[in-house]
Amino acid sequence: MPLTPPYVVLMLMLVVVVYSVWSGVPTIGRSAELLFFLLPVIFLLVGLSLLYGTHWTNLAPILEYGWKPVLRGSFSLLAFPYLETIGFLFLVPELPKSKNWSKAVWIGSAISGTMYLLMMVLTIATLSEGVMANLTFASYFVARTIEIGDFFQRFEVVITVFWYISIFFRLVMLLHKNTLFLPLVLLGIVASGIIWPNFAYLIDFMKVWPLYAMIFGIAFPVCLWIMGKVKKLKT
């Protein structure tokens, strides 16, 4: 839809988000139960389809430049999306067994990390490291290469569905328990074209984003934890 303004797509997406937040935690939970099983199915479908065109020689040599580039690349992945899991803490008071929330977060992070790793390996094996390094969204591009016969193709649409489901829950988590979520949504629609005007700016911004994410992903929770411990000592 090249002639459709981006704000129209954003508004359609945010209407669903606002309705979910307005309906409360039970509605969000039921949505997660329904859509959770769809994500592994999509992932397995894409992953198994990529096996048809993989060239495992593209993975060699492994760790050619040592661990330093790997750790440097993992730093941005730590900030996006793992430091954003702090948003799940807002749901802890709503859980009937709030003591199990840490286990759920750890298991979810391990599953998503495994999915990231497998998709990265399959993408490199299919496209090669040189091609992948020059792509903005490598997983979206590699899905376009899937073509088995004359009917098994156009998998980038499936990747888009995967992205929209994950973005939906991220927005719901960020807006949950915020009494000003309607004004925030309206400001977000207007500011979306200003904060990230293009992909080149987005890539440049991701260089400093990990440092900013550590403020609310590490420093802020640690401060709250220390304040809680001090409060308990005083009482």
Side-chain angles (χ1 to χ4, degrees):
M1 298 182 290
L3 299 180
T4 303
Y7 295 105
V8 175
V9 180
L10 291 173
M11 290 179 65
L12 291 175
M13 180 71 181
L14 289 173
V15 164
V16 182
V17 173
V18 169
Y19 177 77
S20 301
V21 176
W22 193 277
S23 300
V25 175
T27 300
I28 299 172
R30 294 189 189 100
S31 301
E33 290 178 348
L34 291 172
L35 297 174
F36 171 77
F37 296 100
L38 183 61
L39 296 183
V41 170
I42 294 175
F43 180 82
L44 289 174
L45 185 62
V46 174
L48 294 175
S49 301
L50 286 175
L51 291 176
Y52 181 79
T54 52
H55 303 281
W56 299 110
T57 55
N58 289 334
L59 297 176
I62 298 176
L63 295 177
E64 179 181 7
Y65 303 104
W67 283 100
K68 188 175 181 180
V70 178
L71 296 176
R72 189 186 299 115
S74 302
F75 183 65
S76 59
L77 186 64
L78 172 66
F80 179 80
Y82 287 106
L83 286 181
E84 293 184 358
T85 54
I86 190 66
F88 287 108
L89 295 179
F90 294 103
L91 291 176
V92 173
E94 306 288 345
L95 299 176
K97 298 179 180 179
S98 58
K99 294 182 179 180
N100 298 330
W101 70 267
S102 59
K103 182 180 178 181
V105 172
W106 280 111
I107 293 176
S109 300
I111 293 175
S112 63
T114 303
M115 293 172 68
Y116 271 118
L117 178 62
L118 292 176
M119 182 56 67
M120 182 190 68
V121 170
L122 289 172
T123 303
I124 295 176
T126 304
L127 300 176
S128 79
E129 178 269 339
V131 175
M132 182 179 175
N134 294 319
L135 296 174
T136 305
F137 299 106
S139 59
Y140 184 82
F141 182 86
V142 76
R144 298 176 61 182
T145 65
I146 298 175
E147 186 174 353
I148 304 176
D150 295 327
F151 65 98
F152 207 68
Q153 53 188 344
R154 303 298 297 179
F155 264 73
E156 63 271 21
V157 178
V158 179
I159 295 294
T160 304
V161 173
F162 192 102
W163 283 353
Y164 269 90
I165 293 175
S166 59
I167 291 172
F168 164 75
F169 283 107
R170 285 182 60 226
L171 290 174
V172 168
M173 292 297 103
L174 292 173
L175 293 173
H176 175 64
K177 281 206 167 183
N178 195 320
T179 56
L180 299 175
F181 74 92
L182 282 177
L184 286 175
V185 166
L186 296 176
L187 288 174
I189 294 175
V190 177
S192 60
I194 301 173
I195 298 175
W196 287 350
N198 50 58
F199 288 126
Y201 185 87
L202 171 61
I203 294 173
D204 190 59
F205 179 74
M206 289 302 293
K207 297 177 182 178
V208 298
W209 170 250
L211 300 176
Y212 174 74
M214 287 182 178
I215 297 176
F216 61 85
I218 297 178
F220 185 63
V222 169
C223 290
L224 289 178
W225 178 76
I226 294 174
M227 291 170 61
K229 291 295 183 180
V230 172
K231 186 177 181 181
K232 285 184 179 181
L233 291 175
K234 290 182 177 180
T235 56

